[in-house]
Amino acid sequence: MTTTFTTTTYASRGMRHRRPRRSIVPFLAPLVIWAGAAGVLALWWSHTTSVVGPAGWLTGAGRITGLLAGYACAVLLALMARAPLLDHTIGTDRLARWHALGGRCTVSLALAHTLLIIWGYSLTSHTNVVSQTSTLVLRYPDLLKGTAGFLLFLTTGVLSARAARRRMSYETWHHLHFATYLAIFLVFGHQLSNGADFVGNRAAQAAWHTLFLGVAALVAWYRFAAPVRRGLRHRLRVAAIHPEAPGVVSVHLTGERLDELGGDPGQFLRWRFLARGLWWTANPYSLSAPAHPGHLRITVKTAGGHSAALARLAPGTRVWAEGPYGAFTADRRTAAKVLLLAGGVGITPLRVLFETLPGQVTLIYRARRADDLALRGELDAIAARRRATVHYVVDEPAGYSSPLTARALSALVPDLAAHDVYLCGPPGMAQAAITALREAGVPARRIHHESFTF
């Protein structure tokens, strides 16, 4: 059976709804990307007088796919450079989806470029593809490095496929992607040395250098220099570890000017704990309380190897935090009423939004057992203070499932279709919730969900 514990009151009059800021960046960014692709095609067109015969068509197609693959590499790096302009408006998970789709396209373009060029050149020189491959790799300038970069890029793409990702940890997958930096560096010189559209074309070479140097500067600053700068500025350390529920702990941190680091409610940071076995990776965790100048808190489910080790951290451990990231904030809001729908440890960003979002806010918090409801005392206090509504839904006894349907949600929130919904929970629960919300009449544009899975 399903047990629902409900505390019902009314929204506070003192917290008024303000119209959120809307950004044009999510709409403008795809246009800029496609405009750049059109510019790349224009470069090929302007340097192609005619295409004659099978060899010409194959070689021309190889040049086009090579140009687009090179351009796509720059786009991939820019999408994941963690630049605030993109991250805070488009959202980290949406950028990651674009990056994943772009990665598959880039690998396909690079593979097509390689096969088409070899085939086209072999027809032109009247040799077989094996002999032509050997000639290209060993005799053309920078092509040996380009081949190494292509093979490295192809290997990374294969290992990043969904079937392979399930068999590796987040840390392994994350560090594997650093190989793409080396791969792109190796193939960059080959394109300028051998590309018919660049040889002798100073303007095209300058534009290509500007594109890649600009993206490299973004990556160097936001992914490497800025985290080091923040680490030295804020001097974060672990203050204490407190259990919140079975398998859930809160990590309390102290430092300097931490309100500058915390960002907007709902955002997350990537945390690097300078302890043995943890220092080499940075994992994403949301704040579970509003940022304070001298104190921050994250709440973590000790499921994986990294998160389980956090429960054993010693007070005084140094911490570097990268961020804040994400667009799971009040700026996404479009309606006066808001529903926060949390599952398990997904309560962490929603707990902060529950405290800070103005207007009428309802919280539904789902867990397996009543003991698994982390931070329940704080949620009750927030609900009483702001005269809000909170529903706790748990499965009890084990083996029975809570309904996550349009009818069940509408029973808890009668005017559900008039709400914005902020959703955070395990992937299965989140997908079921999205389906139920859409069936209940909530428009897709009002369902706000940011995934932390890789």
Side-chain angles (χ1 to χ4, degrees):
M1 59 180 294
T2 299
T3 304
T4 305
F5 304 93
T6 307
T7 302
T8 306
T9 54
Y10 296 95
S12 170
R13 298 177 181 176
M15 303 186 73
R16 296 181 180 178
H17 170 59
R18 294 177 294 178
R19 189 175 183 84
R21 301 185 302 272
R22 307 299 294 174
S23 173
I24 65 169
V25 174
F27 307 100
L28 189 60
L31 295 178
V32 172
I33 292 172
W34 286 111
V40 168
L41 292 177
L43 174 64
W44 171 82
W45 181 266
S46 65
H47 288 82
T48 302
T49 55
S50 63
V51 180
V52 180
W57 283 103
L58 289 170
T59 304
R63 285 171 54 196
I64 292 173
T65 51
L67 286 169
L68 289 175
Y71 170 71
C73 286
V75 172
L76 290 180
L77 292 179
L79 289 177
M80 299 309 289
R82 299 177 186 168
L85 178 64
L86 297 179
D87 195 275
H88 295 178
T89 55
I90 297 174
T92 303
D93 63 334
R94 193 174 175 189
L95 288 172
R97 289 195 297 271
W98 290 4
H99 177 82
L101 176 61
R104 292 190 289 271
C105 292
T106 305
V107 171
S108 300
L109 287 168
L111 184 59
H113 163 69
T114 302
L115 298 177
L116 289 168
I117 286 293
I118 292 173
W119 193 4
Y121 277 33
S122 67
L123 290 179
T124 301
S125 60
H126 304 288
T127 59
N128 61 65
V129 294
V130 175
S131 175
Q132 186 61 56
T133 300
S134 176
T135 299
L136 288 171
V137 172
L138 298 178
R139 297 185 182 180
Y140 277 61
D142 292 320
L143 203 51
L144 185 59
K145 291 191 298 182
T147 302
F150 164 70
L151 294 175
L152 184 59
F153 197 80
L154 185 63
T155 301
T156 304
V158 171
L159 293 178
S160 296
R162 185 169 298 178
R165 285 185 305 181
R166 294 193 186 104
R167 294 174 172 83
M168 67 178 72
S169 66
Y170 170 84
E171 292 80 11
T172 301
W173 173 85
H174 177 74
H175 286 91
L176 176 66
H177 271 59
F178 282 113
T180 58
Y181 295 145
L182 176 59
I184 292 171
F185 173 78
L186 289 173
V187 301
F188 179 78
H190 134 69
Q191 201 155 31
L192 294 179
S193 299
N194 301 297
D197 302 289
F198 294 104
V199 175
N201 188 342
R202 296 261 182 108
Q205 292 178 8
W208 213 244
H209 274 103
T210 301
L211 173 64
F212 277 87
L213 288 175
V215 171
L218 288 176
V219 172
W221 176 254
Y222 288 113
R223 299 206 63 165
F224 298 99
V228 173
R229 176 177 173 269
R230 292 190 187 103
L232 298 174
R233 175 177 175 80
H234 297 293
R235 301 183 180 277
L236 271 169
R237 292 184 181 273
V238 174
I241 308 292
H242 290 158
E244 301 288 357
V248 179
V249 299
S250 283
V251 181
H252 296 258
L253 305 113
T254 58
E256 301 176 4
R257 298 181 289 271
L258 299 185
D259 53 332
E260 301 174 7
L261 180 63
D264 294 330
Q267 290 186 307
F268 69 95
L269 296 96
R270 297 181 184 274
W271 303 87
R272 188 182 304 274
F273 296 89
L274 305 187
R276 185 174 182 179
L278 298 177
W279 64 269
W280 57 286
T281 187
N283 280 30
Y285 300 113
S286 297
L287 295 181
S288 59
H292 183 273
H295 178 261
L296 296 178
R297 185 186 72 181
I298 58 175
T299 301
V300 179
K301 184 176 179 63
T302 57
H306 184 278
S307 56
L310 300 188
R312 302 186 296 271
L313 282 174
T317 300
R318 290 290 303 272
V319 184
W320 282 10
E322 306 171 20
Y325 300 121
F328 195 62
T329 67
D331 286 342
R332 284 192 173 185
R333 179 179 183 172
T334 60
K337 300 177 181 180
V338 174
L339 169 64
L340 308 177
L341 181 52
V345 78
I347 189 61
T348 53
L350 298 185
R351 179 256 180 256
V352 186
L353 289 171
F354 189 44
E355 180 175 351
T356 58
L357 273 176
Q360 182 176 327
V361 180
T362 302
L363 171 65
I364 299 177
Y365 184 9
R366 305 173 62 88
R368 186 178 298 275
R369 299 180 300 271
D371 290 343
D372 295 327
L373 294 168
L375 309 175
R376 184 179 177 185
E378 296 180 19
L379 297 172
D380 288 337
I382 293 169
R385 183 169 63 250
R386 66 175 298 171
R387 302 175 62 198
T389 302
V390 56
H391 302 280
Y392 299 105
V393 181
V394 298
D395 298 337
E396 195 175 61
Y400 288 83
S401 60
S402 284
L404 188 50
T405 62
R407 178 179 296 181
L409 290 174
S410 297
L412 293 175
V413 187
D415 55 346
L416 181 57
H419 286 66
D420 268 292
V421 181
Y422 287 75
L423 168 65
C424 191
M429 173 264 180
Q431 188 55 55
I434 291 172
T435 301
L437 290 167
R438 296 291 290 118
E439 291 177 356
V442 181
R445 68 181 183 277
R446 288 187 178 175
I447 301 174
H448 313 301
H449 170 240
E450 196 159 68
S451 172
F452 295 93
T453 58
F454 68 94

